[in-house]
Amino acid sequence: MRSYGQYCGLARSLEVVGDRWNLLIVRQLLIAPARYRDLLDGLPGIATNLLADRLRDLERSGVVERRPAGQGSVVEYVLTPWGAELRGPIESLIRWSTPLMARGPEGDSFRPGWLALAVPALLNSRVEVRPSATVGLEVGDPLLQLRATRSGFEVGTHDGRDLDATVRAEPAYVLGLAAGALTLSDARALGVLEIDGDESIVRAVFAA
């Protein structure tokens, strides 16, 4: 671990998570504990030896730990309680990124699972009145569900429960709705979004 040689909280935090890929590894583990192969799939572009090095550094720093994943010798990586405290800073960076995301993917890789962190981070910061509802998000495979409750929003893989509505759109437009940068009416007028089910529920969930 390289040191900045500065007695500063930001400098010391960056010594732990500031290296390339470290925060993206934390992103994946905030979504769910993961095996090594799952992390490789969720981090397109990382070399396997680099992932191993980064995980070793994060373990050594107390951010990540390993635990058995079922029977056998397979392990999965999880965040320690201290590592999980990075949720707040990462969600703040996601909200800060809204102008950068507005131009779309521009050929970048995308995994639907990344919305599990981004959409709640955006909605929880601006939507105060949360109806109890479950909305499907069809942005790729698998189908996701956005659950709105009085305590907040969460996104995960559809678990088979009944959906009040389903939104079908490219990820950029779902993020635009979640950030409040795009209204539902504008999205419908542009023809970039389709809704099956109760549109009023979608409008209430996204405050759009």
Side-chain angles (χ1 to χ4, degrees):
M1 183 174 66
R2 291 174 295 181
S3 173
Y4 289 102
Q6 299 178 17
Y7 184 58
C8 162
L10 178 60
R12 290 197 172 174
S13 297
L14 290 174
E15 287 171 3
V16 175
V17 297
D19 277 343
R20 180 172 165 81
W21 294 106
N22 280 9
L23 282 182
L24 294 184
I25 293 170
V26 174
R27 175 198 66 191
Q28 294 303 115
L29 297 179
L30 283 171
I31 294 170
R35 300 180 183 187
Y36 189 82
R37 282 288 167 191
D38 298 328
L39 287 172
L40 274 178
D41 181 66
L43 295 163
I46 194 170
T48 183
N49 62 323
L50 182 57
L51 175 59
D53 289 344
R54 292 292 183 260
L55 285 169
R56 193 177 303 113
D57 289 344
L58 290 170
E59 283 187 82
R60 190 179 299 116
S61 299
V63 175
V64 169
E65 62 186 3
R66 284 180 280 185
R67 70 182 184 192
Q71 297 180 347
S73 59
V74 178
V75 300
E76 64 182 5
Y77 294 89
V78 298
L79 293 171
T80 64
W82 184 53
E85 291 178 12
L86 285 164
R87 178 180 294 274
I90 287 175
E91 288 184 344
S92 293
L93 283 171
I94 288 171
R95 289 189 289 270
W96 182 77
S97 77
T98 298
L100 305 174
M101 298 296 285
R103 60 179 183 255
E106 298 182 331
D108 289 341
S109 299
F110 172 74
R111 300 288 186 272
W114 296 342
L115 296 181
L117 193 61
V119 169
L122 295 168
L123 287 175
N124 281 322
S125 68
R126 70 178 191 83
V127 180
E128 296 181 2
V129 179
R130 305 180 181 102
S132 295
T134 304
V135 174
L137 300 177
E138 192 172 314
V139 295
D141 187 36
L143 175 66
L144 303 178
Q145 65 184 26
L146 166 61
R147 293 191 62 224
T149 68
R150 290 183 179 179
S151 59
F153 296 92
E154 62 181 45
V155 171
T157 304
H158 182 223
D159 59 9
R161 73 181 67 206
D162 291 337
L163 299 173
D164 297 294
T166 298
V167 173
R168 190 176 301 109
E170 294 295 321
Y173 299 115
V174 173
L175 290 170
L177 284 174
L182 179 70
T183 68
L184 191 60
S185 297
D186 287 343
R188 295 296 295 272
L190 291 169
V192 297
L193 177 146
E194 297 177 3
I195 296 174
D196 295 332
D198 191 340
E199 181 173 327
S200 66
I201 290 289
V202 177
R203 193 175 295 275
V205 166
F206 286 95

